């Protein structure tokens, strides 16, 4: 992460807008990686720093709050494929404490808040923070009726069938005295023992790799087929509740104890205490036991014990004030760096990867870690300042042969945080990044970042689709879950088909069926090679000959059916699938909403690319700035893309983007601009609400604007609207207009 951030006070309005755009994209990306792909690349602390910075900038520039502002959303939207469930009470996140002082502060805040009640004895519970996935289990009259993931906190996914396969989750509550309706909340996780067993089973059958227990638990919970979930032994600890028709008990501690009586597993490490010393002593005890628990925990959660006090203290921005998660420092281990390989990404970035002697860090084995870019290897950021990894500065470079310190924070991808200089071998030489692409040989350059005027930290291959690595990665992106979502055509098959010459560009995917025999041959050859490799590794003499039946790849029809099923993709998915730089899924959705049809998108894109100033052609879209417009012009200005897109559009017909109109909405189809200060809703709520009602929300007033909603302090936009004779209403008028006044 850069250390060159300007203080928020020093930002100009333009800089703030640019940074909010970047933060929205970055946070959305990290959210997606965490919640949907289960593969985060930054630590919680780094993620918190991004959201804090976003909130600080928004506080200083409220008029710049974006429609897609990350402050309006907790987590990522639910993945598709499961029905959506609205939680009776939102599922919140926890404020974090990183030091003992933070915990002292928490207790001080509690004391101050309740200062007027002199004889009040505030008690707290302390228990491990389990590093899994939270789930909400709805019981009606003691019967488990529905279970859901957290999702975005308000709406999750219905994974009842999968949760039913977990032995720790009772189908009917034991004992008595349970509320008529209660949402029991807790953590689904996978033990190290089960994780290792699953990895061993998978390795024996040539199956996939599993990264860590948390991601594997997440993947297991999202299975469409519950028998797959059942085959992975998952566990569940109950520690909280959402909606409940009555309080389970007067205190947190007794409520959770009751969950135990009703048949749930509860943490044996939960205590009740009254002083900060007791809480911190318990934190140290749990920390000592951490490595022998057999499952991942990443801290200790403290909660105010008395429910009445919890209610009085309340919530702030999606977090209870009355609870805090005291995180453990990240785990570390030392190993030797044996080599540095370069991977070429979808957009051509050369990513150096360190190959390490395998080492265990917090329950997982680490063999390679990303080295990000050449500055990172050199130990300097683009300002020449020492790199910070986690909480340590690493002012030295990384060399092959070095002994390095690996850190794994929670479920975050491991990082190198330090080099043990005393152990540096005499022959270790400085690493020099190559300036050509290792895959296609094209020059690999560091572009000058227009905004900073400095070279980008990452080198990029200039070969574009000539480069096999970029072509393959683009294809993988095209078929991926958030994009065209072609099931059965995963990364492995894409590589295979590409290497066998069956695929060059996305359009070829849709003609695979016409080359059935070749596809079958490629799949068969791989299968045979895998079988032989397995036999060889077992050292077995029997060489299995595949039967004729086995030679026909039974998944083939399924694969072709999955491809056929995506010939009419949603426009936003299609735009995202194109893999245009800086166009993530949120931006793709905004573009789809604005242009409605692929024809319009392509024609405006091409016109903008050909124009001297793209802004004269490209409509102003709230949330889309110069970076994205520049990237779109780059894409549409490239003749090769033109050909690829043309061929692709001969195969697929993206559906026009239709807004789900709520019947009778008075603003459906209207273009609305919100300006000035809104008091009853945030900017992002206003935008979401208008869009739900079928309106289009624009960032600036033009002749196309139908309605301006102006709050106090509205300036030039209000004046423009009056000049253009556009209808202007205030916030209350808006609520009346949409029938909620
Ligand atoms: S209490 C109202 N207790 O941490 C507070 N959460 O950062 C609700 N978690 O989404 C949460 N162990 O997934 C609570 N003992 C524990 C926990 C715990 C793990 C997770 C949970 C939540 C996240 C919040």
């Amino acid at each position: 992460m850069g250390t060159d951030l300007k203080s928020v006070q020093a930002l100009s309005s333009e800089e703030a807008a640019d940074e909010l755009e970047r933060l929205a994209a970055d946070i959305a990306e990290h959210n997606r990686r965490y919640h949907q792909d289960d593969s985060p690349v930054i630590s919680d602390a780094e993620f918190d720093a991004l959201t804090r910075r976003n909130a600080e900038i928004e506080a200083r520039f409220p008029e710049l709050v974006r429609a897609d502002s990350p402050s309006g959303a907790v987590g990522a939207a639910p993945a598709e494929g499961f029905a959506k469930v609205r939680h009776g009470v939102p599922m919140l996140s926890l404020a974090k404490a990183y030091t003992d002082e933070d915990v002292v502060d928490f207790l001080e805040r509690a004391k101050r808040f309740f200062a007027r009640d002199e004889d009040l004895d505030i008690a707290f519970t302390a228990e491990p923070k389990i590093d899994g996935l939270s789930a909400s289990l709805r019981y009606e009259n003691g019967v488990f009726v529905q279970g859901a993931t957290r999702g975005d906190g308000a709406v999750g996914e219905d994974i009842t069938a999968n949760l039913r396969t977990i032995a720790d989750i009772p189908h009917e509550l034991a004992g008595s005295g349970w509320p008529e309706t209660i949402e029991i909340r807790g953590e689904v996780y996978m033990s190290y023992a089960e994780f290792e067993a699953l990895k061993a089973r998978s390795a024996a059958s040539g199956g996939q790799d599993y990264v860590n227990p948390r991601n594997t638990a997440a993947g297991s919970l999202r299975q469409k087929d519950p028998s797959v979930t059942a085959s992975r032994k998952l566990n569940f600890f109950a520690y909280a509740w959402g909606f409940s028709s009555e309080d389970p008990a007067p205190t947190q501690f007794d409520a959770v104890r009751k969950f135990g009586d009703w048949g749930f597993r509860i943490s044996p490490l939960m205590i009740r205490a009254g002083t900060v010393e007791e809480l911190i002593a318990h934190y140290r005890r749990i920390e000592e036991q951490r490595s022998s628990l057999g499952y991942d925990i990443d801290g200790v959660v403290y909660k105010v014990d008395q429910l009445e006090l919890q209610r009085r203290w309340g919530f702030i921005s999606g977090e209870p004030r009355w609870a805090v998660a005291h995180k453990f420092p990240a785990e570390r281990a030392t190993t030797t760096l044996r080599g540095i390989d370069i991977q070429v990404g979808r957009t051509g970035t050369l990513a150096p990867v360190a190959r390490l002697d395998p080492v265990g860090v917090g329950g997982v084995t680490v063999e390679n870690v990303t080295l990000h870019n050449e500055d990172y290897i050199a130990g300097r950021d683009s300002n020449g300042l020492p790199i910070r990894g986690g909480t340590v500065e690493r002012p030295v470079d990384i060399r092959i042969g070095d002994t390095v310190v690996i850190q794994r924070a929670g479920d975050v991808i491991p990082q190198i945080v330090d080099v043990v200089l005393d152990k540096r071998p005499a022959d270790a030489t400085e690493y020099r990044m190559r300036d050509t692409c290792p895959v296609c040989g094209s020059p690999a350059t560091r572009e000058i970042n227009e905004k900073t005027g400095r070279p980008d930290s990452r080198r990029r291959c200039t070969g574009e689709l000539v480069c096999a690595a970029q072509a393959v990665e683009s294809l993988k992106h095209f078929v991926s879950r958030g994009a065209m979502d072609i099931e059965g055509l995963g990364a492995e098959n894409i590589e295979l088909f590409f290497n066998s010459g069956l695929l060059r560009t996305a359009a070829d995917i849709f003609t695979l069926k016409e080359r059935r025999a070749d596809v079958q041959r490629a799949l068969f050859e791989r299968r045979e090679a895998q079988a032989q490799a397995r036999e060889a590794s077992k050292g077995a003499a029997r060489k299995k000959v595949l039967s004729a039946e086995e030679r026909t790849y039974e998944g083939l029809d399924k694969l072709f059916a999955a491809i056929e099923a995506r010939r009419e993709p949603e426009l936003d998915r299609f735009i995202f699938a194109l893999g245009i730089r800086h166009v993530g899924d949120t931006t793709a959705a905004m573009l789809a909403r604005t242009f409605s049809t692929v024809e319009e998108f392509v024609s405006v894109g091409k016109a903008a690319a050909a124009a001297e100033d793209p802004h004269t052609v490209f409509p102003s879209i709230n949330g889309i700035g110069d970076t994205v417009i520049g990237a779109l012009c780059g894409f549409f200005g490239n003749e090769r893309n033109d050909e690829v897109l043309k061929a692709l559009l001969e195969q697929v017909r993206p559906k026009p983007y239709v807004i789900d109109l709520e019947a009778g909405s008075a603003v459906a189809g209207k273009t609305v601009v919100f300006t000035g200060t809104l008091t009853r809703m945030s900017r992002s709520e206003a935008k979401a609400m208008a869009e739900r009602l079928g309106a289009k929300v624009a960032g600036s007033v033009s002749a196309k604007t139908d309605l301006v909603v102006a709050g106090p302090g509205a300036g030039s936009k209000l004046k423009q609207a009056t000049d253009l004779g556009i209808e202007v209403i205030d916030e209350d008028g808006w609520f009346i207009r949409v029938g909620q006044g």
Side-chain angles (χ1 to χ4, degrees):
M1 209 176 290
T3 45
D4 54 348
L5 289 180
K6 238 183 180 177
S7 92
V8 173
Q9 290 313 317
L11 290 179
S12 70
S13 172
E14 272 102 68
E15 286 169 334
D18 272 357
E19 218 185 312
L20 287 175
E21 178 181 355
R22 192 173 52 75
L23 284 164
D26 286 358
I27 293 172
E29 172 69 12
H30 290 307
N31 256 326
R32 195 180 54 68
R33 283 176 172 278
Y34 186 91
H35 289 281
Q36 286 183 3
D37 297 351
D38 308 311
S39 63
V41 289
I42 60 171
S43 67
D44 285 3
E46 285 166 329
F47 183 80
D48 290 347
L50 291 180
T51 52
R52 236 184 352 258
R53 173 105 180 150
N54 187 70
E56 283 167 15
I57 300 177
E58 288 184 346
R60 191 169 157 234
F61 299 94
E63 71 283 2
L64 297 180
V65 172
R66 299 165 56 84
D68 61 345
S69 161
S71 58
V74 195
E80 284 185 24
F82 291 99
K84 314 243 184 307
V85 177
R86 181 164 289 279
H87 302 301
V89 167
M91 292 181 80
L92 305 175
S93 51
L94 291 170
K96 291 177 190 75
Y98 295 99
T99 62
D100 291 359
E101 289 74 56
D102 293 344
V103 182
V104 173
D105 280 354
F106 170 62
L107 267 77
E108 292 289 323
R109 283 200 301 279
K111 279 210 197 92
R112 270 202 307 278
F113 186 81
F114 295 110
R116 269 178 290 156
D117 303 69
E118 281 170 11
D119 323 313
L120 196 66
D121 271 332
I122 313 177
F124 299 87
T125 57
E127 68 200 288
K129 182 170 188 299
I130 321 290
D131 197 4
L133 299 305
S134 48
S136 185
L137 317 171
R138 190 175 176 90
Y139 287 81
E140 289 175 6
N141 299 309
V143 178
F144 176 43
V145 292
Q146 190 174 53
T149 62
R150 174 167 183 257
D152 65 5
V155 178
E157 298 163 284
D158 185 338
I159 50 162
T160 314
N162 292 343
L163 289 168
R164 272 192 212 284
T165 69
I166 300 178
D168 296 338
I169 296 181
H171 293 189
E172 286 184 26
L173 298 181
S176 59
W178 6 269
E180 191 176 298
T181 303
I182 184 165
E183 289 173 347
I184 299 282
R185 302 224 166 131
E187 205 80 355
V188 176
Y189 66 94
M190 183 176 274
S191 69
Y192 293 158
E194 174 60 15
F195 178 65
E196 291 304 329
L198 176 64
K199 274 209 310 204
R201 289 202 296 275
S202 172
S205 60
Q208 71 180 103
D209 270 352
Y210 296 97
V211 182
N212 64 40
R214 184 192 175 277
N215 297 354
T216 311
S220 307
L221 267 188
R222 281 223 192 79
Q223 294 295 323
K224 303 240 164 87
D225 175 0
S227 68
V228 179
T229 314
S231 73
R232 319 244 176 105
K233 209 174 137 283
L234 297 173
N235 290 102
F236 181 82
F237 270 129
Y239 53 64
W241 63 100
F243 175 80
S244 181
S245 48
E246 59 188 289
D247 280 352
T251 64
Q252 177 78 30
F253 190 78
D254 293 331
V256 175
R257 282 291 189 85
K258 278 202 177 164
F259 298 168
D261 297 341
W262 299 341
F264 289 100
R265 273 179 67 240
I266 58 174
S267 173
L269 293 169
M270 176 178 68
I271 61 152
R272 172 156 50 194
T275 66
V276 77
E277 291 76 19
E278 287 171 278
L279 295 180
I280 290 174
H282 195 55
Y283 172 89
R284 302 259 179 272
R285 258 195 306 275
I286 293 178
E287 195 177 19
E288 270 167 31
Q289 295 185 32
R290 182 179 186 188
S291 57
S292 54
L293 288 177
Y295 52 86
D296 267 337
I297 63 172
D298 59 349
V300 174
V301 184
Y302 310 124
K303 301 171 189 166
V304 168
D305 190 38
Q306 296 96 327
L307 302 196
E308 194 224 320
L309 302 187
Q310 290 187 355
R311 273 191 283 265
R312 278 171 56 191
W313 205 4
F315 302 88
I316 181 164
S317 54
E319 290 171 356
R321 283 196 163 92
W322 44 265
V324 69
H326 188 183
K327 304 273 284 191
F328 290 134
E331 291 195 50
R332 295 197 170 168
T334 302
T335 187
T336 310
L337 189 149
R338 294 292 172 197
I340 296 177
D341 291 346
I342 302 293
Q343 280 174 358
V344 184
R346 171 166 65 86
T347 56
T349 44
L350 305 196
V353 178
R355 303 293 171 208
L356 308 167
D357 280 348
V359 62
V361 199
V364 300
T365 305
V366 177
E367 289 178 81
N368 39 56
V369 297
T370 174
L371 292 171
H372 302 285
N373 56 60
E374 57 206 270
D375 291 339
Y376 181 89
I377 297 175
R380 302 274 147 192
D381 68 12
S382 58
N383 291 320
L385 295 169
I387 288 284
R388 290 183 73 88
T391 51
V392 258
E393 279 192 2
R394 172 176 60 78
V396 294
D397 65 322
I398 297 173
R399 300 184 186 176
I400 295 166
D402 266 340
T403 298
V404 291
V405 181
I406 311 293
Q407 171 170 295
R408 174 178 171 255
D411 50 9
V412 169
I413 289 171
Q415 304 272 341
I416 291 182
V417 290
D418 209 356
V419 175
V420 185
L421 278 184
D422 295 350
K423 296 199 179 164
R424 174 166 280 177
D427 59 351
T429 46
E430 265 178 61
Y431 180 75
R432 280 187 54 105
M433 184 84 171
R434 47 189 302 156
D435 53 14
T436 54
C437 172
V439 176
C440 71
S442 304
T445 58
R446 295 178 74 162
E447 290 171 14
I448 301 295
N449 183 314
E450 281 170 24
K451 283 187 191 146
T452 61
R454 280 195 300 266
D456 264 344
S457 53
R458 289 187 296 187
R459 211 168 262 280
R460 293 186 45 194
C461 158
T462 51
E464 301 204 359
L465 291 183
V466 167
C467 175
Q470 289 189 55
V472 152
E473 294 307 315
S474 304
L475 286 166
K476 286 184 194 168
H477 168 77
F478 184 82
V479 300
S480 66
R481 194 157 69 181
M484 293 286 279
D485 192 20
I486 303 182
E487 232 172 287
L489 194 55
E492 260 186 36
N493 280 344
I494 289 284
E495 269 173 27
L496 176 71
F497 296 157
F498 188 88
N499 293 333
S500 338
L502 287 162
L503 282 185
R504 276 290 167 259
T505 74
D508 301 335
I509 293 171
F510 295 90
T511 60
L512 277 177
K513 204 166 83 171
E514 296 160 20
R515 290 167 288 150
R516 187 186 176 99
D518 297 333
V519 173
Q520 187 165 325
R521 187 173 325 113
L523 287 163
F524 167 69
E525 282 170 8
R526 178 180 60 191
R527 213 201 226 198
E528 197 164 39
Q530 280 174 347
Q532 272 170 19
R534 265 202 305 281
E535 291 300 320
S537 76
K538 279 189 211 151
R542 1 171 222 125
K543 187 163 169 276
K544 195 175 170 217
V545 181
L546 293 174
S547 67
E549 284 88 319
E550 280 174 307
R551 281 165 189 260
T552 36
Y553 184 73
E554 65 278 0
L556 214 51
D557 289 326
K558 251 172 130 175
L559 173 63
F560 293 141
I563 295 172
E564 288 310 307
R566 305 305 286 145
R567 278 203 195 255
E568 291 186 8
E570 293 84 5
L571 182 57
D572 49 341
R573 280 178 176 277
F574 179 79
I575 294 177
F576 176 56
L578 293 177
I580 302 169
R581 273 182 89 188
H582 304 295
V583 179
D585 50 358
T586 312
T587 303
M590 289 196 248
L591 293 168
R593 209 159 42 221
T594 307
F595 296 109
S596 297
T597 64
V598 72
E599 290 78 13
E600 182 71 6
F601 171 61
V602 174
S603 91
V604 174
K606 282 188 184 166
E612 213 158 281
D613 174 4
H615 295 93
T616 55
V617 181
F618 210 83
S620 133
I621 308 173
N622 200 0
I624 291 189
D626 285 349
T627 313
V628 171
I629 296 180
L632 288 167
C633 291
F635 179 85
F636 284 109
N638 178 330
E639 269 176 40
R640 202 163 35 226
N641 288 336
D642 224 31
E643 286 162 29
V644 169
L645 193 58
K646 189 161 161 275
L648 182 57
L649 287 172
E650 279 165 18
Q651 299 296 333
V652 300
R653 289 222 44 76
K655 286 193 276 230
Y657 189 92
V658 272
I659 297 163
D660 188 9
L661 295 183
E662 283 190 15
S665 158
V667 294
K670 300 259 159 73
T671 299
V672 182
V673 173
F674 291 94
T675 180
T677 313
L678 302 177
T679 53
R680 294 174 62 178
M681 52 189 171
S682 72
R683 261 312 147 81
S684 46
E685 274 177 83
K687 171 152 193 272
M689 179 176 176
E691 286 173 354
R692 240 184 358 257
L693 294 164
K696 199 146 105 182
V697 178
S700 57
V701 175
S702 73
K704 287 193 192 146
T705 312
D706 297 301
L707 182 65
V708 171
V709 182
S716 61
K717 289 182 196 169
L718 175 58
K719 187 175 173 304
Q720 269 173 303
T722 333
D723 291 349
L724 288 167
I726 293 165
E727 186 185 10
V728 179
I729 56 175
D730 65 7
E731 199 180 1
D732 288 337
W734 165 258
F735 279 94
I736 294 167
R737 176 71 54 97
V738 299
Q740 297 177 28

